[in-house]
Amino acid sequence: MILHPVRAMGHEAVPLHVIDDAHPQPEALQEAAAAQRFARAAADYYPGLRAPAPVGYAVWLAEAARAIGAATTSTVLRTTFAIATDAPAALAPIQRIPHFDTVDPTLLAAVHYLCAPPHGGTSFYRHRGTGYERIDPSRAAAWRQGLTRDRQRHGLPEPQYPGDHTAGFERIGQADLRFNRLIFYPANCLHAGDLAAAALGADAAHGRLTLTSLLQA
């Protein structure tokens, strides 16, 4: 397990924890994914398919979060395999801009990469109109108003995944994808997967396979 120094991203010093060679048996996680039946989750904006995480993974993840100081209690609220599959033309407008997972500032998100390049990692953003890099309950109304102003100024976002081209947003940091790399970041920060269309696919052996999780920090 190789722990990188914590990155403080943007004006709000959004913390990003990066661990390489994170899991002792990443190939076993890949095999577990290959044995799963992936499906689209209801009421989920993730642009792809999910499947249950292996038994015991949540316990290991919570221990890893505590060991590196990313969290103290680190109760795992949700963890699933995920494969990004959706073509840019199929994205809803809300999927074409950076997002946040929750307004709760006490929750932590984790992404465990179980694939390799040319698949992309994860990028983090600032909303230019509001200056926000994290969205908490006190900012939610201003955030929605800011998106309305963006639509009035720029129109609906183009049918493509978020990136440097996304009107109204500025990239503040990036976690490149590497096999068996695990990242932790605040679940209320603005972020998006770096999902190039050429790297999409529903095959667990060749697609952009990750384990995505939400923890109580």
Side-chain angles (χ1 to χ4, degrees):
M1 182 179 288
I2 301 171
L3 177 61
H4 293 257
V6 179
R7 303 182 204 172
M9 301 181 293
H11 300 325
E12 298 180 11
V14 177
L16 172 65
H17 300 260
V18 179
I19 308 172
D20 283 333
D21 300 333
H23 196 275
Q25 295 181 304
E27 292 82 6
L29 297 178
Q30 290 179 312
E31 292 172 3
Q36 288 281 7
R37 178 173 295 181
F38 283 73
R40 196 169 299 275
D44 185 7
Y45 284 113
Y46 179 73
L49 309 176
R50 295 188 186 271
V55 174
Y57 180 79
V59 173
W60 172 84
L61 182 67
E63 291 175 351
R66 289 193 294 270
I68 67 168
T72 51
T73 59
S74 61
T75 300
V76 177
L77 305 177
R78 181 185 73 222
T79 183
T80 63
F81 283 118
I83 302 179
T85 61
D86 294 358
L91 299 177
I94 194 65
Q95 295 173 301
R96 305 172 192 173
I97 62 173
H99 67 281
F100 55 94
D101 298 325
T102 175
V103 296
D104 188 339
T106 70
L107 298 190
L108 194 67
V111 180
H112 192 171
Y113 301 124
L114 295 173
C115 55
H119 297 295
T122 305
S123 287
F124 302 88
Y125 294 88
R126 175 186 305 116
H127 181 238
R128 295 180 187 274
T130 59
Y132 295 163
E133 298 164 356
R134 300 178 67 167
I135 310 299
D136 63 20
S138 69
R139 293 179 167 185
W143 160 253
R144 290 190 294 269
Q145 293 166 4
L147 291 185
T148 298
R149 289 192 295 270
D150 285 349
R151 286 195 298 271
Q152 292 169 344
R153 181 176 180 182
H154 305 294
L156 289 176
E158 295 295 322
Q160 53 191 337
Y161 281 101
D164 285 332
H165 54 268
T166 305
F169 292 87
E170 176 183 4
R171 194 195 309 256
I172 61 170
Q174 190 170 27
D176 293 333
L177 185 146
R178 177 176 174 178
F179 177 67
N180 201 22
R181 170 171 284 177
L182 173 63
I183 65 173
F184 293 97
Y185 53 88
N188 71 340
C189 75
L190 292 169
H191 64 280
D194 299 326
L195 302 177
L200 300 177
D203 182 357
H206 302 99
R208 186 182 182 272
L209 176 65
T210 62
L211 276 158
T212 64
S213 308
L214 193 66
L215 304 88
Q216 178 67 61

